[in-house]
Amino acid sequence: MPETRTAATGTRTAAVRGSAPSRPAAATKRQPSPARRLIVVAVLVAVAATCFLSLFVKGSFEFAIERRLILLGAITVAAFAQGVGTVVFQTVTHNRILTPSLMGFDAVYTLMQTLMVFVFGGSVLATTDGLPKLLTQTLLMVAFTTLLFRWLFSGPTGSLHVLLLAGVVLGIAFQSLSVFLQRLLSPADYDVLSTRLFGRLSTVEATHLPLAFAVCAVCAVVLWRRRHRLDVLLLGRDTARGLGLDHRRELTTALIVVAVLVSFSTALVGPMTFFGFTAALLAYQFAGTHQHAFVLPMAFLLGLLTLLTGQFVMEHVLYASGMLTVVIEFLGGAVFLTHLLRRGSL
Amino acid sequence: MIEFHDLVKSYGDHTVLGPVSGRIERGGVTSLIGPNGAGKSTLLTLLGRLTDPTSGTVTLDGVDVHKAPSAEVARKLAILRQENHFTARVTVRELVAFGRFPHSRGRLTSEDLGHVDRALDFLDLTALSGRYLDQLSGGQRQRAYVAMVLAQDTDYVLLDEPLNNLDIKHGVRMMERLRAAADDLGKTVVLIVHDINIAAGYSDRVMALRDGKVEAHGTPEELMEPETLSGIFDTPVRVHVVDGRPLAVHHR
């Protein structure tokens, strides 16, 4: 795969002199240090969150705050899972075009929803909503990807590219099956289903959020302990092995963490294909370093900022609060295409 | 000492290397030479445990490199491959600092930074240390990779064509530095070289491969014979003595 050249154009103007991976603070005046960049974005996120929670309240303040806190929680989970999950996925696959949804997560989710409606009718989606369904869906998606990893890595030709190709092909197969089943649905059932196939932040159950935060926290700890190893993974398989990294184990661990994060987020708020890509791309641009200690929090914060600002604008400027994920996917897709065209190659 | 025993690497029915056995003594510079497809890179990556052999073993001072924990091996042996593609944009200094990973696991101490500074200095990269790799010429980048491997500060250093992309001046200086790494720092350097005369001029021992087999192994003087070289490279090679050293001539 060719080296990514446009991924960090924001840092091209001034070279950091004398900085080492553990001491990135040495920076010139034109080039704020990665830590300072993180603080600036964190402050922006805090401001956006405050505005989001407290402005334009009509009627009961308590009711509005409670509703908005739940939405903020859902946004936080989605931003963390998609932003961080995509960065880790792109690091271990040595590619900044791929997103975890390529592994077929979205397709498995879509197929599960379609199958349920097909077998039990449209009303089943609303009546079965709850923690058991959320967990079952997450487990199924994690099981699917873990099986895929194991199967493809245990063979003699086990390689990441075969794995990705298999993920893409299976994803397309599942997607086609879903489309076929959707053709057979009654229009009413299809209408119910289609609202589930886009991210739906505003209808997240408050009771699911503590579990979601716990999942994110566990993944955060696992990744934080691996931040230096993730940096080494950026150098490619051979160099990483030469530096004494158990490449296969680190790769499998990272992919399982990604599977857990993306599956849980998809089961909780629905599929989001381009949002993670956008958050990761922005994080590479603004982090000012390749180190995961800074890029991962940056991806989370920028994802959070995007969703918060988007939701705020949708709700109070455009009066279309339910449409956020559709718009984010549209804009994310546009960013994705622009990025592809500017690179001129995969 | 690196010893390899009945080493075989095959892909399906196609055997690219072996069975080969041999040893590389501790200290000094050993060059691997041979025509394209002879299995030089395969042998080097097997010795450096980047690929797993189909059969056979490689031991480093008595330890099986494919069975020992990779992190432990990385403190005794460093390997640089010919092609390096990185996903991220890193500066020369950050790249060289990665060489300290086996020792520091990412948290650099002042001792690590000392090694980084010395490696940068050793390859004349101090002035370029803040530059990003994609702002460098091919030769400068090649030197940065070698600096990373030297910063790893291992007893054994394996290099796949370190003279790639280097002009005459930098090629000669690179060989002088590797010679100094062996003579002054006591390292064991194993490298793949295409130029027979460079190999003969700077090595203590030369190992010649052909069709996946070790064809010859000995001092440069022993290998620099017209018949030996002509056989290895399948091309008529004459050997003249210039300035008291054997010089192979394979073109007019």
mmCIF file with all atom_site columns, all heavy atoms in Angstrom, chain B residues 114-129:
data_model
loop_
_atom_site.group_PDB
_atom_site.id
_atom_site.type_symbol
_atom_site.label_atom_id
_atom_site.label_alt_id
_atom_site.label_comp_id
_atom_site.label_asym_id
_atom_site.label_entity_id
_atom_site.label_seq_id
_atom_site.pdbx_PDB_ins_code
_atom_site.Cartn_x
_atom_site.Cartn_y
_atom_site.Cartn_z
_atom_site.occupancy
_atom_site.B_iso_or_equiv
_atom_site.pdbx_formal_charge
_atom_site.auth_seq_id
_atom_site.auth_comp_id
_atom_site.auth_asym_id
_atom_site.auth_atom_id
_atom_site.pdbx_PDB_model_num
ATOM 1   N N   . GLY B 1 114 ? 20.378 9.174  24.567 1.00 0.00 ? 114 GLY B N   1
ATOM 2   C CA  . GLY B 1 114 ? 21.798 9.163  24.249 1.00 0.00 ? 114 GLY B CA  1
ATOM 3   C C   . GLY B 1 114 ? 22.089 8.252  23.071 1.00 0.00 ? 114 GLY B C   1
ATOM 4   O O   . GLY B 1 114 ? 22.830 8.623  22.152 1.00 0.00 ? 114 GLY B O   1
ATOM 5   N N   . HIS B 1 115 ? 21.478 7.053  23.087 1.00 0.00 ? 115 HIS B N   1
ATOM 6   C CA  . HIS B 1 115 ? 21.666 6.117  21.971 1.00 0.00 ? 115 HIS B CA  1
ATOM 7   C C   . HIS B 1 115 ? 21.141 6.712  20.678 1.00 0.00 ? 115 HIS B C   1
ATOM 8   O O   . HIS B 1 115 ? 21.747 6.551  19.617 1.00 0.00 ? 115 HIS B O   1
ATOM 9   C CB  . HIS B 1 115 ? 20.929 4.802  22.267 1.00 0.00 ? 115 HIS B CB  1
ATOM 10  C CG  . HIS B 1 115 ? 21.701 3.881  23.156 1.00 0.00 ? 115 HIS B CG  1
ATOM 11  N ND1 . HIS B 1 115 ? 22.813 3.199  22.717 1.00 0.00 ? 115 HIS B ND1 1
ATOM 12  C CD2 . HIS B 1 115 ? 21.525 3.534  24.449 1.00 0.00 ? 115 HIS B CD2 1
ATOM 13  C CE1 . HIS B 1 115 ? 23.289 2.461  23.704 1.00 0.00 ? 115 HIS B CE1 1
ATOM 14  N NE2 . HIS B 1 115 ? 22.524 2.644  24.774 1.00 0.00 ? 115 HIS B NE2 1
ATOM 15  N N   . VAL B 1 116 ? 19.979 7.398  20.763 1.00 0.00 ? 116 VAL B N   1
ATOM 16  C CA  . VAL B 1 116 ? 19.393 8.013  19.570 1.00 0.00 ? 116 VAL B CA  1
ATOM 17  C C   . VAL B 1 116 ? 20.336 9.071  19.017 1.00 0.00 ? 116 VAL B C   1
ATOM 18  O O   . VAL B 1 116 ? 20.631 9.106  17.816 1.00 0.00 ? 116 VAL B O   1
ATOM 19  C CB  . VAL B 1 116 ? 18.018 8.631  19.900 1.00 0.00 ? 116 VAL B CB  1
ATOM 20  C CG1 . VAL B 1 116 ? 17.495 9.440  18.726 1.00 0.00 ? 116 VAL B CG1 1
ATOM 21  C CG2 . VAL B 1 116 ? 17.031 7.538  20.277 1.00 0.00 ? 116 VAL B CG2 1
ATOM 22  N N   . ASP B 1 117 ? 20.868 9.933  19.913 1.00 0.00 ? 117 ASP B N   1
ATOM 23  C CA  . ASP B 1 117 ? 21.787 10.986 19.475 1.00 0.00 ? 117 ASP B CA  1
ATOM 24  C C   . ASP B 1 117 ? 23.028 10.397 18.817 1.00 0.00 ? 117 ASP B C   1
ATOM 25  O O   . ASP B 1 117 ? 23.485 10.879 17.778 1.00 0.00 ? 117 ASP B O   1
ATOM 26  C CB  . ASP B 1 117 ? 22.196 11.854 20.671 1.00 0.00 ? 117 ASP B CB  1
ATOM 27  C CG  . ASP B 1 117 ? 21.069 12.775 21.110 1.00 0.00 ? 117 ASP B CG  1
ATOM 28  O OD1 . ASP B 1 117 ? 20.219 13.081 20.249 1.00 0.00 ? 117 ASP B OD1 1
ATOM 29  O OD2 . ASP B 1 117 ? 21.027 13.161 22.282 1.00 0.00 ? 117 ASP B OD2 1
ATOM 30  N N   . ARG B 1 118 ? 23.575 9.347  19.428 1.00 0.00 ? 118 ARG B N   1
ATOM 31  C CA  . ARG B 1 118 ? 24.795 8.747  18.873 1.00 0.00 ? 118 ARG B CA  1
ATOM 32  C C   . ARG B 1 118 ? 24.525 8.118  17.508 1.00 0.00 ? 118 ARG B C   1
ATOM 33  O O   . ARG B 1 118 ? 25.337 8.250  16.595 1.00 0.00 ? 118 ARG B O   1
ATOM 34  C CB  . ARG B 1 118 ? 25.356 7.697  19.845 1.00 0.00 ? 118 ARG B CB  1
ATOM 35  C CG  . ARG B 1 118 ? 26.161 8.318  20.981 1.00 0.00 ? 118 ARG B CG  1
ATOM 36  C CD  . ARG B 1 118 ? 26.985 7.285  21.718 1.00 0.00 ? 118 ARG B CD  1
ATOM 37  N NE  . ARG B 1 118 ? 26.161 6.315  22.428 1.00 0.00 ? 118 ARG B NE  1
ATOM 38  C CZ  . ARG B 1 118 ? 25.577 6.568  23.605 1.00 0.00 ? 118 ARG B CZ  1
ATOM 39  N NH1 . ARG B 1 118 ? 25.726 7.749  24.177 1.00 0.00 ? 118 ARG B NH1 1
ATOM 40  N NH2 . ARG B 1 118 ? 24.845 5.647  24.194 1.00 0.00 ? 118 ARG B NH2 1
ATOM 41  N N   . ALA B 1 119 ? 23.360 7.451  17.375 1.00 0.00 ? 119 ALA B N   1
ATOM 42  C CA  . ALA B 1 119 ? 23.040 6.826  16.087 1.00 0.00 ? 119 ALA B CA  1
ATOM 43  C C   . ALA B 1 119 ? 22.861 7.885  15.009 1.00 0.00 ? 119 ALA B C   1
ATOM 44  O O   . ALA B 1 119 ? 23.324 7.731  13.871 1.00 0.00 ? 119 ALA B O   1
ATOM 45  C CB  . ALA B 1 119 ? 21.776 5.976  16.224 1.00 0.00 ? 119 ALA B CB  1
ATOM 46  N N   . LEU B 1 120 ? 22.197 9.008  15.364 1.00 0.00 ? 120 LEU B N   1
ATOM 47  C CA  . LEU B 1 120 ? 22.013 10.099 14.405 1.00 0.00 ? 120 LEU B CA  1
ATOM 48  C C   . LEU B 1 120 ? 23.370 10.655 13.990 1.00 0.00 ? 120 LEU B C   1
ATOM 49  O O   . LEU B 1 120 ? 23.634 10.894 12.809 1.00 0.00 ? 120 LEU B O   1
ATOM 50  C CB  . LEU B 1 120 ? 21.163 11.208 15.030 1.00 0.00 ? 120 LEU B CB  1
ATOM 51  C CG  . LEU B 1 120 ? 19.673 10.924 15.186 1.00 0.00 ? 120 LEU B CG  1
ATOM 52  C CD1 . LEU B 1 120 ? 19.014 11.989 16.045 1.00 0.00 ? 120 LEU B CD1 1
ATOM 53  C CD2 . LEU B 1 120 ? 19.002 10.890 13.817 1.00 0.00 ? 120 LEU B CD2 1
ATOM 54  N N   . ASP B 1 121 ? 24.234 10.850 14.997 1.00 0.00 ? 121 ASP B N   1
ATOM 55  C CA  . ASP B 1 121 ? 25.551 11.404 14.744 1.00 0.00 ? 121 ASP B CA  1
ATOM 56  C C   . ASP B 1 121 ? 26.386 10.448 13.887 1.00 0.00 ? 121 ASP B C   1
ATOM 57  O O   . ASP B 1 121 ? 27.069 10.861 12.956 1.00 0.00 ? 121 ASP B O   1
ATOM 58  C CB  . ASP B 1 121 ? 26.234 11.662 16.093 1.00 0.00 ? 121 ASP B CB  1
ATOM 59  C CG  . ASP B 1 121 ? 27.553 12.386 15.908 1.00 0.00 ? 121 ASP B CG  1
ATOM 60  O OD1 . ASP B 1 121 ? 27.549 13.386 15.168 1.00 0.00 ? 121 ASP B OD1 1
ATOM 61  O OD2 . ASP B 1 121 ? 28.568 11.941 16.462 1.00 0.00 ? 121 ASP B OD2 1
ATOM 62  N N   . PHE B 1 122 ? 26.286 9.156  14.188 1.00 0.00 ? 122 PHE B N   1
ATOM 63  C CA  . PHE B 1 122 ? 27.056 8.131  13.498 1.00 0.00 ? 122 PHE B CA  1
ATOM 64  C C   . PHE B 1 122 ? 26.763 8.136  12.008 1.00 0.00 ? 122 PHE B C   1
ATOM 65  O O   . PHE B 1 122 ? 27.620 7.829  11.192 1.00 0.00 ? 122 PHE B O   1
ATOM 66  C CB  . PHE B 1 122 ? 26.695 6.771  14.117 1.00 0.00 ? 122 PHE B CB  1
ATOM 67  C CG  . PHE B 1 122 ? 27.690 5.683  13.826 1.00 0.00 ? 122 PHE B CG  1
ATOM 68  C CD1 . PHE B 1 122 ? 28.966 5.724  14.380 1.00 0.00 ? 122 PHE B CD1 1
ATOM 69  C CD2 . PHE B 1 122 ? 27.353 4.612  13.019 1.00 0.00 ? 122 PHE B CD2 1
ATOM 70  C CE1 . PHE B 1 122 ? 29.876 4.720  14.123 1.00 0.00 ? 122 PHE B CE1 1
ATOM 71  C CE2 . PHE B 1 122 ? 28.267 3.608  12.766 1.00 0.00 ? 122 PHE B CE2 1
ATOM 72  C CZ  . PHE B 1 122 ? 29.530 3.664  13.313 1.00 0.00 ? 122 PHE B CZ  1
ATOM 73  N N   . LEU B 1 123 ? 25.541 8.490  11.635 1.00 0.00 ? 123 LEU B N   1
ATOM 74  C CA  . LEU B 1 123 ? 25.169 8.486  10.219 1.00 0.00 ? 123 LEU B CA  1
ATOM 75  C C   . LEU B 1 123 ? 24.987 9.896  9.661  1.00 0.00 ? 123 LEU B C   1
ATOM 76  O O   . LEU B 1 123 ? 24.331 10.091 8.634  1.00 0.00 ? 123 LEU B O   1
ATOM 77  C CB  . LEU B 1 123 ? 23.908 7.649  10.012 1.00 0.00 ? 123 LEU B CB  1
ATOM 78  C CG  . LEU B 1 123 ? 24.234 6.157  10.117 1.00 0.00 ? 123 LEU B CG  1
ATOM 79  C CD1 . LEU B 1 123 ? 23.089 5.377  10.675 1.00 0.00 ? 123 LEU B CD1 1
ATOM 80  C CD2 . LEU B 1 123 ? 24.657 5.600  8.780  1.00 0.00 ? 123 LEU B CD2 1
ATOM 81  N N   . ASP B 1 124 ? 25.585 10.890 10.349 1.00 0.00 ? 124 ASP B N   1
ATOM 82  C CA  . ASP B 1 124 ? 25.536 12.277 9.863  1.00 0.00 ? 124 ASP B CA  1
ATOM 83  C C   . ASP B 1 124 ? 24.120 12.783 9.673  1.00 0.00 ? 124 ASP B C   1
ATOM 84  O O   . ASP B 1 124 ? 23.826 13.468 8.685  1.00 0.00 ? 124 ASP B O   1
ATOM 85  C CB  . ASP B 1 124 ? 26.274 12.395 8.517  1.00 0.00 ? 124 ASP B CB  1
ATOM 86  C CG  . ASP B 1 124 ? 27.769 12.423 8.716  1.00 0.00 ? 124 ASP B CG  1
ATOM 87  O OD1 . ASP B 1 124 ? 28.187 12.645 9.872  1.00 0.00 ? 124 ASP B OD1 1
ATOM 88  O OD2 . ASP B 1 124 ? 28.501 12.202 7.743  1.00 0.00 ? 124 ASP B OD2 1
ATOM 89  N N   . LEU B 1 125 ? 23.218 12.434 10.569 1.00 0.00 ? 125 LEU B N   1
ATOM 90  C CA  . LEU B 1 125 ? 21.822 12.818 10.392 1.00 0.00 ? 125 LEU B CA  1
ATOM 91  C C   . LEU B 1 125 ? 21.382 13.893 11.371 1.00 0.00 ? 125 LEU B C   1
ATOM 92  O O   . LEU B 1 125 ? 20.234 14.318 11.348 1.00 0.00 ? 125 LEU B O   1
ATOM 93  C CB  . LEU B 1 125 ? 20.919 11.594 10.558 1.00 0.00 ? 125 LEU B CB  1
ATOM 94  C CG  . LEU B 1 125 ? 20.947 10.573 9.433  1.00 0.00 ? 125 LEU B CG  1
ATOM 95  C CD1 . LEU B 1 125 ? 20.308 9.288  9.890  1.00 0.00 ? 125 LEU B CD1 1
ATOM 96  C CD2 . LEU B 1 125 ? 20.238 11.108 8.205  1.00 0.00 ? 125 LEU B CD2 1
ATOM 97  N N   . THR B 1 126 ? 22.316 14.351 12.227 1.00 0.00 ? 126 THR B N   1
ATOM 98  C CA  . THR B 1 126 ? 21.907 15.277 13.276 1.00 0.00 ? 126 THR B CA  1
ATOM 99  C C   . THR B 1 126 ? 21.229 16.518 12.698 1.00 0.00 ? 126 THR B C   1
ATOM 100 O O   . THR B 1 126 ? 20.198 16.957 13.201 1.00 0.00 ? 126 THR B O   1
ATOM 101 C CB  . THR B 1 126 ? 23.134 15.678 14.109 1.00 0.00 ? 126 THR B CB  1
ATOM 102 O OG1 . THR B 1 126 ? 23.804 14.473 14.486 1.00 0.00 ? 126 THR B OG1 1
ATOM 103 C CG2 . THR B 1 126 ? 22.727 16.437 15.349 1.00 0.00 ? 126 THR B CG2 1
ATOM 104 N N   . ALA B 1 127 ? 21.780 17.040 11.598 1.00 0.00 ? 127 ALA B N   1
ATOM 105 C CA  . ALA B 1 127 ? 21.207 18.251 11.009 1.00 0.00 ? 127 ALA B CA  1
ATOM 106 C C   . ALA B 1 127 ? 19.823 17.990 10.406 1.00 0.00 ? 127 ALA B C   1
ATOM 107 O O   . ALA B 1 127 ? 19.019 18.902 10.269 1.00 0.00 ? 127 ALA B O   1
ATOM 108 C CB  . ALA B 1 127 ? 22.142 18.801 9.937  1.00 0.00 ? 127 ALA B CB  1
ATOM 109 N N   . LEU B 1 128 ? 19.550 16.735 10.064 1.00 0.00 ? 128 LEU B N   1
ATOM 110 C CA  . LEU B 1 128 ? 18.276 16.407 9.410  1.00 0.00 ? 128 LEU B CA  1
ATOM 111 C C   . LEU B 1 128 ? 17.260 15.849 10.396 1.00 0.00 ? 128 LEU B C   1
ATOM 112 O O   . LEU B 1 128 ? 16.166 15.459 9.993  1.00 0.00 ? 128 LEU B O   1
ATOM 113 C CB  . LEU B 1 128 ? 18.508 15.349 8.321  1.00 0.00 ? 128 LEU B CB  1
ATOM 114 C CG  . LEU B 1 128 ? 19.397 15.724 7.141  1.00 0.00 ? 128 LEU B CG  1
ATOM 115 C CD1 . LEU B 1 128 ? 19.655 14.512 6.282  1.00 0.00 ? 128 LEU B CD1 1
ATOM 116 C CD2 . LEU B 1 128 ? 18.726 16.815 6.327  1.00 0.00 ? 128 LEU B CD2 1
ATOM 117 N N   . SER B 1 129 ? 17.606 15.814 11.694 1.00 0.00 ? 129 SER B N   1
ATOM 118 C CA  . SER B 1 129 ? 16.800 15.016 12.625 1.00 0.00 ? 129 SER B CA  1
ATOM 119 C C   . SER B 1 129 ? 15.366 15.510 12.756 1.00 0.00 ? 129 SER B C   1
ATOM 120 O O   . SER B 1 129 ? 14.482 14.742 13.109 1.00 0.00 ? 129 SER B O   1
ATOM 121 C CB  . SER B 1 129 ? 17.478 14.978 13.990 1.00 0.00 ? 129 SER B CB  1
ATOM 122 O OG  . SER B 1 129 ? 17.500 16.270 14.533 1.00 0.00 ? 129 SER B OG  1
#
